[in-house]
Short mmCIF file of all heavy atoms in Angstrom, two decimals:
data_model
loop_
_atom_site.label_atom_id
_atom_site.label_comp_id
_atom_site.label_asym_id
_atom_site.label_seq_id
_atom_site.Cartn_x
_atom_site.Cartn_y
_atom_site.Cartn_z
N VAL A 48 13.43 -23.30 65.18
CA VAL A 48 14.88 -23.11 64.97
C VAL A 48 15.45 -24.27 64.16
O VAL A 48 15.22 -25.44 64.48
CB VAL A 48 15.63 -23.00 66.31
CG1 VAL A 48 17.14 -22.96 66.09
CG2 VAL A 48 15.18 -21.76 67.09
N GLU A 49 16.19 -23.93 63.13
CA GLU A 49 16.96 -24.91 62.35
C GLU A 49 18.26 -24.22 61.95
O GLU A 49 18.32 -23.56 60.90
CB GLU A 49 16.19 -25.36 61.11
CG GLU A 49 16.93 -26.40 60.29
CD GLU A 49 16.30 -26.65 58.92
OE1 GLU A 49 15.19 -26.13 58.66
OE2 GLU A 49 16.94 -27.33 58.10
N LEU A 50 19.26 -24.31 62.78
CA LEU A 50 20.52 -23.61 62.51
C LEU A 50 21.22 -24.24 61.30
O LEU A 50 21.73 -25.35 61.37
CB LEU A 50 21.43 -23.66 63.74
CG LEU A 50 20.93 -22.95 65.00
CD1 LEU A 50 22.00 -23.01 66.09
CD2 LEU A 50 20.54 -21.51 64.71
N LYS A 51 21.23 -23.49 60.20
CA LYS A 51 21.79 -24.03 58.95
C LYS A 51 23.28 -24.30 59.04
O LYS A 51 23.80 -25.17 58.34
CB LYS A 51 21.50 -23.06 57.80
CG LYS A 51 20.05 -23.05 57.36
CD LYS A 51 19.61 -24.39 56.79
CE LYS A 51 18.23 -24.31 56.16
NZ LYS A 51 17.80 -25.63 55.61
N TYR A 52 24.00 -23.54 59.89
CA TYR A 52 25.45 -23.77 60.00
C TYR A 52 25.79 -24.90 60.97
O TYR A 52 26.96 -25.18 61.20
CB TYR A 52 26.16 -22.47 60.39
CG TYR A 52 26.01 -21.40 59.34
CD1 TYR A 52 25.51 -20.14 59.65
CD2 TYR A 52 26.34 -21.66 58.01
CE1 TYR A 52 25.35 -19.16 58.68
CE2 TYR A 52 26.18 -20.69 57.03
CZ TYR A 52 25.69 -19.45 57.37
OH TYR A 52 25.53 -18.48 56.39
N SER A 53 24.75 -25.54 61.51
CA SER A 53 24.94 -26.78 62.25
C SER A 53 24.59 -27.98 61.37
O SER A 53 24.46 -29.10 61.84
CB SER A 53 24.08 -26.80 63.51
OG SER A 53 24.58 -25.90 64.47
N THR A 54 24.42 -27.71 60.07
CA THR A 54 24.14 -28.75 59.08
C THR A 54 25.11 -28.56 57.92
O THR A 54 25.96 -27.68 57.95
CB THR A 54 22.69 -28.64 58.55
OG1 THR A 54 22.60 -27.49 57.69
CG2 THR A 54 21.69 -28.50 59.69
N THR A 55 24.94 -29.35 56.89
CA THR A 55 25.73 -29.16 55.66
C THR A 55 24.90 -28.43 54.61
O THR A 55 25.38 -28.19 53.50
CB THR A 55 26.21 -30.51 55.10
OG1 THR A 55 25.06 -31.35 54.86
CG2 THR A 55 27.15 -31.21 56.07
N ASP A 56 23.67 -28.05 54.96
CA ASP A 56 22.79 -27.33 54.03
C ASP A 56 23.03 -25.83 54.15
O ASP A 56 22.22 -25.07 54.66
CB ASP A 56 21.32 -27.67 54.35
CG ASP A 56 20.35 -27.01 53.37
OD1 ASP A 56 20.79 -26.67 52.25
OD2 ASP A 56 19.17 -26.83 53.73
N ASN A 57 24.21 -25.42 53.68
CA ASN A 57 24.59 -24.00 53.71
C ASN A 57 25.62 -23.78 52.61
O ASN A 57 26.08 -24.72 51.98
CB ASN A 57 25.15 -23.61 55.08
CG ASN A 57 26.31 -24.49 55.51
OD1 ASN A 57 27.35 -24.55 54.86
ND2 ASN A 57 26.14 -25.18 56.64
N PHE A 58 25.98 -22.52 52.36
CA PHE A 58 26.86 -22.25 51.22
C PHE A 58 28.27 -22.79 51.40
O PHE A 58 29.00 -22.98 50.41
CB PHE A 58 26.89 -20.74 50.92
CG PHE A 58 27.81 -19.93 51.80
CD1 PHE A 58 29.12 -19.71 51.44
CD2 PHE A 58 27.35 -19.39 52.99
CE1 PHE A 58 29.97 -18.96 52.24
CE2 PHE A 58 28.18 -18.64 53.80
CZ PHE A 58 29.49 -18.42 53.43
N VAL A 59 28.67 -23.07 52.63
CA VAL A 59 29.99 -23.66 52.88
C VAL A 59 29.97 -25.14 52.54
O VAL A 59 30.98 -25.72 52.15
CB VAL A 59 30.41 -23.45 54.36
CG1 VAL A 59 31.81 -23.99 54.60
CG2 VAL A 59 30.33 -21.99 54.75
N GLY A 60 28.79 -25.77 52.72
CA GLY A 60 28.66 -27.20 52.44
C GLY A 60 29.18 -28.09 53.54
O GLY A 60 29.40 -29.28 53.35
N LYS A 61 29.41 -27.49 54.75
CA LYS A 61 29.88 -28.30 55.88
C LYS A 61 29.35 -27.73 57.19
O LYS A 61 28.92 -26.58 57.26
CB LYS A 61 31.39 -28.39 55.90
CG LYS A 61 32.11 -27.06 56.10
CD LYS A 61 33.63 -27.25 56.06
CE LYS A 61 34.34 -25.92 56.28
NZ LYS A 61 35.81 -26.07 56.22
N ASP A 62 29.41 -28.55 58.21
CA ASP A 62 28.96 -28.15 59.54
C ASP A 62 29.97 -27.19 60.15
O ASP A 62 31.14 -27.53 60.32
CB ASP A 62 28.83 -29.41 60.41
CG ASP A 62 28.21 -29.15 61.77
OD1 ASP A 62 28.24 -28.00 62.23
OD2 ASP A 62 27.71 -30.11 62.38
N VAL A 63 29.51 -25.98 60.48
CA VAL A 63 30.39 -24.96 61.04
C VAL A 63 30.24 -24.86 62.56
O VAL A 63 31.19 -24.54 63.27
CB VAL A 63 30.09 -23.57 60.40
CG1 VAL A 63 30.95 -22.48 61.01
CG2 VAL A 63 30.30 -23.62 58.90
N TYR A 64 29.04 -25.16 63.06
CA TYR A 64 28.73 -24.97 64.48
C TYR A 64 28.80 -26.24 65.33
O TYR A 64 28.63 -26.18 66.54
CB TYR A 64 27.31 -24.40 64.64
CG TYR A 64 27.14 -22.96 64.25
CD1 TYR A 64 25.86 -22.42 64.15
CD2 TYR A 64 28.22 -22.13 63.97
CE1 TYR A 64 25.67 -21.08 63.79
CE2 TYR A 64 28.04 -20.81 63.61
CZ TYR A 64 26.76 -20.29 63.52
OH TYR A 64 26.56 -18.99 63.17
N GLY A 65 29.00 -27.39 64.71
CA GLY A 65 29.00 -28.61 65.49
C GLY A 65 27.61 -28.98 65.96
O GLY A 65 26.64 -28.88 65.22
N ASP A 66 27.49 -29.37 67.23
CA ASP A 66 26.22 -29.85 67.75
C ASP A 66 25.31 -28.73 68.27
O ASP A 66 24.30 -29.01 68.91
CB ASP A 66 26.47 -30.83 68.91
CG ASP A 66 27.11 -32.13 68.43
OD1 ASP A 66 26.98 -32.43 67.22
OD2 ASP A 66 27.74 -32.83 69.24
N LEU A 67 25.66 -27.49 68.04
CA LEU A 67 24.82 -26.38 68.50
C LEU A 67 23.47 -26.44 67.78
O LEU A 67 23.41 -26.45 66.56
CB LEU A 67 25.50 -25.05 68.21
CG LEU A 67 24.76 -23.80 68.70
CD1 LEU A 67 24.72 -23.74 70.22
CD2 LEU A 67 25.42 -22.53 68.14
N THR A 68 22.39 -26.47 68.55
CA THR A 68 21.05 -26.53 67.96
C THR A 68 20.16 -25.39 68.46
O THR A 68 19.07 -25.20 67.94
CB THR A 68 20.35 -27.86 68.30
OG1 THR A 68 20.29 -28.03 69.73
CG2 THR A 68 21.11 -29.04 67.68
N ARG A 69 20.62 -24.65 69.46
CA ARG A 69 19.81 -23.56 70.02
C ARG A 69 20.28 -22.22 69.48
O ARG A 69 21.48 -22.00 69.30
CB ARG A 69 19.89 -23.58 71.56
CG ARG A 69 19.14 -24.75 72.17
CD ARG A 69 19.23 -24.72 73.70
NE ARG A 69 20.51 -25.27 74.14
CZ ARG A 69 20.71 -26.56 74.41
NH1 ARG A 69 19.73 -27.43 74.24
NH2 ARG A 69 21.89 -26.99 74.81
N ALA A 70 19.32 -21.34 69.24
CA ALA A 70 19.62 -20.01 68.72
C ALA A 70 19.69 -19.02 69.88
O ALA A 70 18.73 -18.90 70.65
CB ALA A 70 18.54 -19.57 67.74
N TYR A 71 20.81 -18.30 69.98
CA TYR A 71 21.02 -17.34 71.07
C TYR A 71 21.05 -15.92 70.52
O TYR A 71 21.54 -15.67 69.41
CB TYR A 71 22.33 -17.64 71.80
CG TYR A 71 22.27 -18.85 72.69
CD1 TYR A 71 22.50 -20.12 72.18
CD2 TYR A 71 21.96 -18.72 74.05
CE1 TYR A 71 22.43 -21.24 73.00
CE2 TYR A 71 21.90 -19.84 74.87
CZ TYR A 71 22.12 -21.09 74.34
OH TYR A 71 22.05 -22.20 75.15
N MET A 72 20.55 -14.99 71.33
CA MET A 72 20.62 -13.56 70.99
C MET A 72 20.76 -12.75 72.27
O MET A 72 20.54 -13.28 73.38
CB MET A 72 19.36 -13.11 70.24
CG MET A 72 19.12 -13.81 68.92
SD MET A 72 17.73 -13.10 67.98
CE MET A 72 18.53 -11.62 67.31
N GLN A 73 21.12 -11.50 72.13
CA GLN A 73 21.08 -10.60 73.27
C GLN A 73 19.64 -10.53 73.77
O GLN A 73 18.70 -10.60 72.98
CB GLN A 73 21.57 -9.21 72.89
CG GLN A 73 23.03 -9.13 72.49
CD GLN A 73 23.99 -9.37 73.65
OE1 GLN A 73 23.58 -9.40 74.81
NE2 GLN A 73 25.27 -9.53 73.33
N PRO A 74 19.41 -10.38 75.08
CA PRO A 74 18.04 -10.36 75.61
C PRO A 74 17.14 -9.35 74.92
O PRO A 74 15.97 -9.66 74.61
CB PRO A 74 18.24 -10.03 77.10
CG PRO A 74 19.59 -10.58 77.42
CD PRO A 74 20.41 -10.35 76.18
N MET A 75 17.65 -8.15 74.64
CA MET A 75 16.81 -7.15 73.98
C MET A 75 16.42 -7.57 72.57
O MET A 75 15.30 -7.33 72.10
CB MET A 75 17.50 -5.77 73.96
CG MET A 75 18.89 -5.72 73.35
SD MET A 75 19.01 -5.79 71.54
CE MET A 75 18.14 -4.30 71.11
N ALA A 76 17.34 -8.26 71.87
CA ALA A 76 17.05 -8.72 70.52
C ALA A 76 16.07 -9.89 70.55
O ALA A 76 15.18 -9.99 69.69
CB ALA A 76 18.35 -9.13 69.83
N ALA A 77 16.22 -10.76 71.54
CA ALA A 77 15.30 -11.90 71.67
C ALA A 77 13.88 -11.41 71.98
O ALA A 77 12.90 -11.98 71.48
CB ALA A 77 15.78 -12.84 72.77
N LYS A 78 13.77 -10.36 72.76
CA LYS A 78 12.44 -9.79 73.06
C LYS A 78 11.82 -9.19 71.80
O LYS A 78 10.61 -9.32 71.56
CB LYS A 78 12.55 -8.74 74.16
CG LYS A 78 12.81 -9.31 75.55
CD LYS A 78 12.96 -8.21 76.59
CE LYS A 78 13.29 -8.80 77.95
NZ LYS A 78 13.50 -7.74 78.97
N LYS A 79 12.64 -8.53 70.99
CA LYS A 79 12.14 -8.00 69.73
C LYS A 79 11.66 -9.13 68.81
O LYS A 79 10.64 -9.01 68.12
CB LYS A 79 13.23 -7.19 69.02
CG LYS A 79 13.51 -5.83 69.64
CD LYS A 79 14.48 -5.03 68.78
CE LYS A 79 14.70 -3.63 69.32
NZ LYS A 79 15.52 -2.79 68.43
N LEU A 80 12.42 -10.23 68.80
CA LEU A 80 12.04 -11.36 67.98
C LEU A 80 10.71 -11.95 68.45
O LEU A 80 9.86 -12.33 67.64
CB LEU A 80 13.14 -12.43 68.01
CG LEU A 80 12.99 -13.57 66.99
CD1 LEU A 80 13.07 -13.04 65.57
CD2 LEU A 80 14.06 -14.63 67.22
N ALA A 81 10.54 -12.01 69.77
CA ALA A 81 9.27 -12.51 70.32
C ALA A 81 8.11 -11.59 69.94
O ALA A 81 7.00 -12.06 69.67
CB ALA A 81 9.38 -12.63 71.84
N SER A 82 8.37 -10.28 69.89
CA SER A 82 7.34 -9.33 69.47
C SER A 82 6.96 -9.55 68.01
O SER A 82 5.79 -9.49 67.64
CB SER A 82 7.82 -7.89 69.67
OG SER A 82 8.00 -7.60 71.04
N ALA A 83 7.98 -9.79 67.17
CA ALA A 83 7.73 -10.07 65.76
C ALA A 83 6.93 -11.36 65.61
O ALA A 83 6.00 -11.44 64.78
CB ALA A 83 9.05 -10.17 65.01
N SER A 84 7.27 -12.36 66.41
CA SER A 84 6.57 -13.64 66.38
C SER A 84 5.10 -13.47 66.78
O SER A 84 4.19 -14.03 66.15
CB SER A 84 7.26 -14.63 67.32
OG SER A 84 6.53 -15.83 67.44
N LYS A 85 4.88 -12.66 67.79
CA LYS A 85 3.51 -12.40 68.25
C LYS A 85 2.70 -11.71 67.16
O LYS A 85 1.55 -12.09 66.89
CB LYS A 85 3.54 -11.55 69.52
CG LYS A 85 2.16 -11.25 70.09
CD LYS A 85 2.26 -10.39 71.34
CE LYS A 85 0.87 -10.07 71.88
NZ LYS A 85 0.94 -9.18 73.08
N TYR A 86 3.30 -10.70 66.53
CA TYR A 86 2.61 -9.99 65.45
C TYR A 86 2.27 -10.95 64.30
O TYR A 86 1.15 -10.92 63.77
CB TYR A 86 3.48 -8.84 64.93
CG TYR A 86 2.84 -8.08 63.80
CD1 TYR A 86 2.02 -6.99 64.04
CD2 TYR A 86 3.06 -8.47 62.47
CE1 TYR A 86 1.41 -6.30 62.98
CE2 TYR A 86 2.47 -7.79 61.42
CZ TYR A 86 1.64 -6.71 61.69
OH TYR A 86 1.04 -6.05 60.65
N LEU A 87 3.23 -11.78 63.92
CA LEU A 87 3.01 -12.73 62.84
C LEU A 87 1.82 -13.64 63.14
O LEU A 87 0.93 -13.83 62.29
CB LEU A 87 4.27 -13.58 62.62
CG LEU A 87 4.14 -14.71 61.60
CD1 LEU A 87 3.95 -14.15 60.19
CD2 LEU A 87 5.37 -15.63 61.64
N GLN A 88 1.78 -14.19 64.35
CA GLN A 88 0.72 -15.14 64.69
C GLN A 88 -0.64 -14.47 64.88
O GLN A 88 -1.68 -15.09 64.67
CB GLN A 88 1.11 -15.94 65.93
CG GLN A 88 2.28 -16.88 65.65
CD GLN A 88 2.70 -17.68 66.85
OE1 GLN A 88 1.89 -18.41 67.43
NE2 GLN A 88 3.95 -17.56 67.25
N GLU A 89 -0.63 -13.19 65.26
CA GLU A 89 -1.89 -12.46 65.36
C GLU A 89 -2.51 -12.26 63.98
O GLU A 89 -3.74 -12.26 63.83
CB GLU A 89 -1.66 -11.10 66.02
CG GLU A 89 -1.45 -11.19 67.53
CD GLU A 89 -1.07 -9.85 68.15
OE1 GLU A 89 -0.78 -8.90 67.37
OE2 GLU A 89 -1.07 -9.76 69.38
N HIS A 90 -1.66 -12.07 62.97
CA HIS A 90 -2.14 -11.79 61.63
C HIS A 90 -2.15 -13.03 60.72
O HIS A 90 -2.88 -13.05 59.71
CB HIS A 90 -1.30 -10.67 60.99
CG HIS A 90 -1.49 -9.35 61.65
ND1 HIS A 90 -0.87 -9.01 62.84
CD2 HIS A 90 -2.27 -8.28 61.31
CE1 HIS A 90 -1.25 -7.79 63.19
NE2 HIS A 90 -2.09 -7.33 62.29
N HIS A 91 -1.34 -14.02 61.07
CA HIS A 91 -1.27 -15.27 60.30
C HIS A 91 -1.14 -16.43 61.31
O HIS A 91 -0.04 -16.94 61.52
CB HIS A 91 -0.08 -15.27 59.35
CG HIS A 91 -0.06 -14.12 58.39
ND1 HIS A 91 -0.77 -14.12 57.20
CD2 HIS A 91 0.56 -12.91 58.46
CE1 HIS A 91 -0.57 -12.97 56.58
NE2 HIS A 91 0.22 -12.22 57.31
N PRO A 92 -2.26 -16.85 61.92
CA PRO A 92 -2.20 -17.84 63.01
C PRO A 92 -1.53 -19.16 62.65
O PRO A 92 -1.02 -19.84 63.55
CB PRO A 92 -3.69 -18.06 63.35
CG PRO A 92 -4.36 -16.81 62.90
CD PRO A 92 -3.62 -16.37 61.67
N ASP A 93 -1.52 -19.51 61.38
CA ASP A 93 -0.95 -20.80 60.98
C ASP A 93 0.55 -20.72 60.64
O ASP A 93 1.14 -21.73 60.24
CB ASP A 93 -1.69 -21.35 59.76
CG ASP A 93 -3.16 -21.64 60.07
OD1 ASP A 93 -3.45 -21.96 61.24
OD2 ASP A 93 -3.99 -21.52 59.16
N LEU A 94 1.14 -19.53 60.78
CA LEU A 94 2.54 -19.36 60.42
C LEU A 94 3.43 -19.13 61.64
O LEU A 94 2.96 -18.69 62.68
CB LEU A 94 2.70 -18.19 59.44
CG LEU A 94 1.96 -18.33 58.10
CD1 LEU A 94 2.20 -17.10 57.24
CD2 LEU A 94 2.38 -19.60 57.36
N ARG A 95 4.71 -19.44 61.46
CA ARG A 95 5.70 -19.28 62.54
C ARG A 95 6.99 -18.71 61.96
O ARG A 95 7.31 -18.91 60.78
CB ARG A 95 6.02 -20.64 63.20
CG ARG A 95 4.84 -21.36 63.82
CD ARG A 95 4.33 -20.66 65.06
NE ARG A 95 3.23 -21.39 65.68
CZ ARG A 95 1.94 -21.24 65.38
NH1 ARG A 95 1.59 -20.39 64.42
NH2 ARG A 95 1.02 -21.95 65.99
N LEU A 96 7.77 -18.05 62.81
CA LEU A 96 9.13 -17.67 62.44
C LEU A 96 10.03 -18.90 62.53
O LEU A 96 9.93 -19.67 63.49
CB LEU A 96 9.66 -16.57 63.36
CG LEU A 96 8.94 -15.23 63.31
CD1 LEU A 96 9.58 -14.24 64.28
CD2 LEU A 96 8.95 -14.64 61.89
N LEU A 97 10.90 -19.08 61.56
CA LEU A 97 11.86 -20.19 61.53
C LEU A 97 13.26 -19.60 61.45
O LEU A 97 13.65 -19.05 60.41
CB LEU A 97 11.58 -21.11 60.34
CG LEU A 97 12.61 -22.21 60.05
CD1 LEU A 97 12.79 -23.14 61.24
CD2 LEU A 97 12.20 -23.01 58.80
N VAL A 98 14.03 -19.72 62.52
CA VAL A 98 15.36 -19.12 62.61
C VAL A 98 16.42 -20.03 62.00
O VAL A 98 16.52 -21.21 62.35
CB VAL A 98 15.71 -18.82 64.09
CG1 VAL A 98 17.16 -18.35 64.22
CG2 VAL A 98 14.76 -17.77 64.67
N TYR A 99 17.22 -19.45 61.09
CA TYR A 99 18.31 -20.18 60.46
C TYR A 99 19.67 -19.86 61.09
O TYR A 99 20.59 -20.66 61.03
CB TYR A 99 18.38 -19.84 58.97
CG TYR A 99 17.28 -20.45 58.13
CD1 TYR A 99 16.79 -19.79 57.01
CD2 TYR A 99 16.75 -21.71 58.43
CE1 TYR A 99 15.81 -20.36 56.21
CE2 TYR A 99 15.76 -22.27 57.65
CZ TYR A 99 15.29 -21.59 56.53
OH TYR A 99 14.31 -22.16 55.75
N ASP A 100 19.80 -18.67 61.65
CA ASP A 100 21.06 -18.29 62.30
C ASP A 100 20.79 -17.10 63.22
O ASP A 100 19.94 -16.26 62.90
CB ASP A 100 22.13 -17.93 61.28
CG ASP A 100 23.53 -17.88 61.88
OD1 ASP A 100 23.77 -18.60 62.87
OD2 ASP A 100 24.39 -17.15 61.36
N ALA A 101 21.51 -17.04 64.33
CA ALA A 101 21.34 -15.94 65.27
C ALA A 101 22.73 -15.46 65.70
O ALA A 101 23.52 -15.09 64.85
CB ALA A 101 20.46 -16.37 66.45
N ALA A 102 23.03 -15.50 66.99
CA ALA A 102 24.37 -15.11 67.41
C ALA A 102 25.39 -16.07 66.80
O ALA A 102 25.17 -17.27 66.75
CB ALA A 102 24.47 -15.15 68.94
N ARG A 103 26.50 -15.49 66.34
CA ARG A 103 27.52 -16.27 65.64
C ARG A 103 28.90 -15.89 66.17
O ARG A 103 29.27 -14.72 66.13
CB ARG A 103 27.45 -15.98 64.15
CG ARG A 103 28.47 -16.73 63.30
CD ARG A 103 28.49 -16.15 61.88
NE ARG A 103 27.19 -16.18 61.24
CZ ARG A 103 26.82 -15.36 60.27
NH1 ARG A 103 27.65 -14.42 59.83
NH2 ARG A 103 25.62 -15.44 59.73
N PRO A 104 29.67 -16.85 66.67
CA PRO A 104 31.01 -16.52 67.15
C PRO A 104 31.92 -16.05 66.02
O PRO A 104 31.75 -16.45 64.86
CB PRO A 104 31.52 -17.83 67.76
CG PRO A 104 30.72 -18.89 67.08
CD PRO A 104 29.38 -18.28 66.80
N ARG A 105 32.89 -15.21 66.36
CA ARG A 105 33.78 -14.67 65.31
C ARG A 105 34.61 -15.78 64.67
O ARG A 105 34.97 -15.68 63.49
CB ARG A 105 34.68 -13.58 65.86
CG ARG A 105 35.57 -12.98 64.79
CD ARG A 105 35.90 -11.52 64.94
NE ARG A 105 36.43 -11.16 66.23
CZ ARG A 105 36.75 -9.90 66.55
NH1 ARG A 105 36.59 -8.93 65.66
NH2 ARG A 105 37.22 -9.61 67.74
N THR A 106 34.90 -16.84 65.39
CA THR A 106 35.64 -17.96 64.80
C THR A 106 34.86 -18.53 63.61
O THR A 106 35.43 -18.85 62.57
CB THR A 106 35.88 -19.06 65.83
OG1 THR A 106 34.64 -19.37 66.50
CG2 THR A 106 36.90 -18.64 66.87
#
Side-chain angles (χ1 to χ4, degrees):
V48 173
E49 181 191 352
L50 296 184
K51 287 296 188 180
Y52 296 126
S53 289
T54 72
T55 57
D56 183 22
N57 55 61
F58 80 91
V59 184
K61 63 182 180 181
D62 186 339
V63 178
Y64 287 170
D66 293 338
L67 183 67
T68 58
R69 289 180 280 270
Y71 286 85
M72 299 187 78
Q73 295 291 349
M75 55 76 63
K78 288 178 183 177
K79 286 187 176 186
L80 190 63
S82 295
S84 173
K85 181 181 178 182
Y86 178 89
L87 175 67
Q88 292 180 57
E89 285 174 350
H90 293 79
H91 303 276
D93 297 330
L94 299 180
R95 301 290 183 272
L96 295 180
L97 171 59
V98 173
Y99 287 148
D100 195 27
R103 180 191 304 155
R105 182 147 52 182
T106 50

